[in-house]
Amino acid sequence: EAAQATAIEGGAAAAEACGSAASDPAPSLVEAPPARLKEIFVPLLVARAEAQLNLRSFDEAIKDCTDALNLRCDEMALARAVRGEANLLSGHLDEAVSDCNVALSMEPLDAYTFAVRAQANLLLGHLEEAAFDCDEALKLCPKLDYAATVRKKLQTKMAQ
């Protein structure tokens, strides 16, 4: 009984230290402070953007990522990378490169973002940049099929 009472007291103390009593209901979203809303909504916006990519709704994916970026959060690198891919797939190649540049400045070990930027650079005719990006992507993740596919397209283009 003493151990159980200590555990209950410890749990109540931990809850109180975190700003709520153990018996308090969870705050509603309306009552949640803006920082908490960002924690909730930004990952949802980015996940929805990724789903929009799969549905080939590129403009919607770009909008969701832009909304996430406007919240200025910890998920900015991922939001930039996803928006970069959406821009690539919708033919906005310069915007894709720009988004990937920013994403890679925040998350320099993201092989997939290197591959996305490589594809955009390839389509823009920036073959040296595309080759560099493919090298980086494959160095970070040797089995990344997307980077290998872009590398093959690049080799074909360079052979012409």
Side-chain angles (χ1 to χ4, degrees):
E1 285 182 6
Q4 186 179 22
T6 303
I8 292 170
E9 289 170 11
E16 194 171 293
C18 293
S20 66
S23 61
D24 288 348
S28 73
L29 290 179
V30 175
E31 297 170 5
R36 181 67 180 132
L37 287 176
K38 288 180 187 181
E39 290 176 27
I40 295 168
F41 287 122
V42 169
L44 293 174
L45 285 168
V46 174
R48 187 168 76 175
E50 289 177 320
Q52 296 290 358
L53 286 178
N54 290 330
L55 296 171
R56 307 197 62 76
S57 298
F58 307 129
D59 290 339
E60 290 298 318
I62 291 168
K63 181 189 175 306
D64 285 342
C65 288
T66 300
D67 289 346
L69 290 167
N70 287 335
L71 292 172
R72 306 247 186 261
C73 63
D74 293 337
E75 302 281 331
M76 288 185 73
L78 178 59
R80 283 284 184 168
V82 172
R83 190 171 78 175
E85 185 174 16
N87 275 315
L88 167 68
L89 295 171
S90 64
H92 303 123
L93 303 177
D94 290 321
E95 291 89 344
V97 170
S98 178
D99 279 334
C100 289
N101 287 343
V102 174
L104 288 166
S105 73
M106 291 184 271
E107 191 66 49
L109 301 177
D110 185 347
Y112 193 80
T113 300
F114 273 111
V116 169
R117 189 172 72 178
Q119 177 70 17
N121 276 318
L122 174 62
L123 293 172
L124 286 166
H126 303 158
L127 303 185
E128 289 181 24
E129 292 90 341
F132 172 82
D133 289 340
C134 281
D135 289 345
E136 290 300 308
L138 292 168
K139 199 181 312 177
L140 291 166
C141 186
K143 295 183 179 183
L144 182 60
D145 290 337
Y146 184 44
T149 300
V150 174
R151 164 64 78 200
K152 287 177 187 171
K153 291 178 188 177
L154 177 62
Q155 289 169 339
T156 301
K157 185 112 176 168
M158 292 176 101
Q160 294 175 346

